[in-house]
Amino acid sequence: MSSNSLYITSLLLIQLVFGQSKVGTASAPFLGINVGPSSVGMSGAITSHAIDASVLYVNPGAISRLDQSQVLLSKTDWIVDTQINFISTVIRLNQNRSLGFYINHLDYGREEITDLENQNGTGLYWSASDIVTGGAYAQNLTDQFSIGSTLKYVHQRIHNESASSMAVDLGILYRTTSEKFNIGMSISNWGSDMSMDGKDLYKKIDLDPDHQGHNETIVAKLKTDDWPLPLFFRFGFSGHLISTPLFKFTLATDAFIPSDDLETIQVGVESSYMNRLFLRSGYKNIGNPNSEEGFTMGAGVKIFTAGMALGIDYSLQEFGYFGLISHLGISINF
């Protein structure tokens, strides 16, 4: 084989391995859903931008850069009549250290069970849900460099079967001495594989149906495969292109590299007036022609009273065939 042929063959193999989608090769795909209306409004490009307590879900290393402690509650009307409920809390221990906690719950609802004999329903119902909860610690090692980690528990359930796993997130944030530009990196969901287990996997079997005189009701258990968690690597860059006491304009971009899908780029912008009024927009999954997600936009308002700040944020996310997805959140800074 000539050197040119070998070179062309190598290029084709690289494209075959790295250029194809790997959807369906990992468990718990809900971990890749963006949460928090502020984050969603910027297309999730917040790895290097500590926008609010929702940054804990993306980069735990950024929470030590939040100006205040915060509690964030958000609700999302997700696709096909499902609901996402997200709670995130960041507690500033001092100017250099912070603790964080979050819980993210995807509720698929419930539906009546049918079978061949009961086409209109059996009177019994099945339900399904996904949940992840985590605790984080972050610290500013220097004026420019921060690092943080999250230990989390992932649980999936459908009817009587469930699967669980423990995982770790790691994140860092670097900002320039002028505090105008930030660089962030994180790796998420480094943990054990998941496999479904539950009472419906136990079945009575007849090992030798052609003969009699033996136990025809031996109880066996169906074996389910182990599936890895989706590993996410994020690299983000953000800059305050305009920063005055009255007006601030921030541009942020993230490179998102998942183990179970194509690599994509997210781009988002945020403008704020007197740190009270906020407008956000962005575009998701640039580089994935099969993605249903695209344009995002959002707005927020912050009200200062009694030494605290109450924030209300709302965002809309374009989701192709499923239309627009709405995200609503309320935050309290203290």
Side-chain angles (χ1 to χ4, degrees):
M1 180 181 290
S2 66
S3 60
N4 288 336
S5 298
L6 181 61
Y7 177 72
I8 294 174
T9 303
S10 299
L11 286 179
L12 292 175
L13 288 174
I14 291 173
Q15 291 180 350
L16 179 64
V17 173
F18 296 103
Q20 61 182 346
S21 173
K22 301 174 284 292
V23 174
T25 61
S27 59
F30 79 101
L31 295 172
I33 300 174
N34 289 134
V35 291
S38 300
S39 172
V40 171
M42 293 186 67
S43 76
I46 63 169
T47 302
S48 62
H49 181 41
I51 191 169
D52 58 20
S54 64
V55 75
L56 171 60
Y57 200 73
V58 174
N59 182 4
I63 63 173
S64 58
R65 295 296 178 181
L66 291 176
D67 295 331
Q68 292 180 294
S69 298
Q70 184 182 82
V71 177
L72 169 66
L73 299 91
S74 73
K75 181 178 179 62
T76 301
D77 296 320
W78 195 236
I79 59 176
V80 198
D81 297 326
T82 59
Q83 302 286 331
I84 298 177
N85 301 293
F86 177 69
I87 301 174
S88 182
T89 301
V90 173
I91 304 296
R92 281 177 54 86
L93 302 177
N94 54 43
Q95 64 179 2
N96 290 317
R97 297 183 298 154
S98 294
L99 292 176
F101 172 81
Y102 72 83
I103 181 169
N104 187 30
H105 177 229
L106 173 56
D107 184 4
Y108 295 93
R110 69 172 195 160
E111 187 175 83
E112 190 170 6
I113 298 173
T114 60
D115 55 30
L116 292 177
E117 289 75 28
N118 300 276
Q119 296 291 320
N120 295 322
T122 62
L124 302 175
Y125 290 82
W126 72 272
S127 63
S129 66
D130 296 332
I131 190 169
V132 56
T133 181
Y137 173 79
Q139 182 170 344
N140 301 332
L141 299 182
T142 68
D143 291 341
Q144 286 78 46
F145 189 75
S146 306
I147 188 169
S149 178
T150 301
L151 177 64
K152 61 188 182 182
Y153 171 75
V154 184
H155 180 79
Q156 292 190 282
R157 180 188 62 82
I158 177 169
H159 199 36
N160 296 316
E161 277 59 59
S162 63
S164 301
S165 177
M166 297 295 295
V168 173
D169 297 350
L170 299 173
I172 59 175
L173 182 68
Y174 175 81
R175 63 180 185 179
T176 60
T177 53
S178 65
E179 300 184 11
K180 187 174 182 179
F181 298 103
N182 295 332
I183 297 174
M185 290 182 288
S186 68
I187 183 169
S188 304
N189 311 322
W190 184 32
S192 57
D193 294 349
M194 300 180 70
S195 62
M196 300 297 290
D197 195 8
K199 66 179 184 180
D200 292 333
L201 299 180
Y202 291 93
K203 302 293 181 181
K204 292 181 179 180
I205 64 170
D206 186 353
L207 295 177
D208 190 3
D210 296 328
H211 298 85
Q212 297 181 348
H214 62 279
N215 188 350
E216 300 176 355
T217 59
I218 294 177
V219 177
K221 183 180 180 181
L222 300 177
K223 182 182 182 301
T224 59
D225 289 334
D226 294 332
W227 292 87
L229 292 172
L231 197 63
F232 300 150
F233 177 76
R234 295 179 175 95
F235 177 84
F237 175 83
S238 61
H240 303 304
L241 303 186
I242 302 176
S243 183
T244 69
L246 288 180
F247 182 76
K248 181 180 289 186
F249 181 80
T250 302
L251 170 67
T253 180
D254 272 15
F256 180 55
I257 306 173
S259 64
D260 62 341
D261 207 342
L262 295 177
E263 299 83 1
T264 59
I265 299 294
Q266 336 294 338
V267 177
V269 296
E270 178 186 51
S271 59
S272 63
Y273 177 71
M274 296 183 65
N275 197 33
R276 284 174 167 80
L277 298 176
F278 303 85
L279 293 176
R280 307 177 181 99
S281 64
Y283 202 90
K284 284 181 61 65
N285 290 354
I286 300 172
N288 185 354
N290 299 317
S291 175
E292 292 290 325
E293 299 178 87
F295 182 71
T296 64
M297 62 182 297
V301 61
K302 189 178 292 184
I303 303 170
F304 294 86
T305 178
M308 298 189 301
L310 174 65
I312 301 175
D313 294 281
Y314 181 79
S315 65
L316 287 174
Q317 174 184 359
E318 180 187 12
F319 213 103
Y321 177 82
F322 299 100
L324 295 176
I325 306 297
S326 64
H327 304 254
L328 177 64
I330 297 176
S331 61
I332 300 175
N333 298 306
F334 55 94

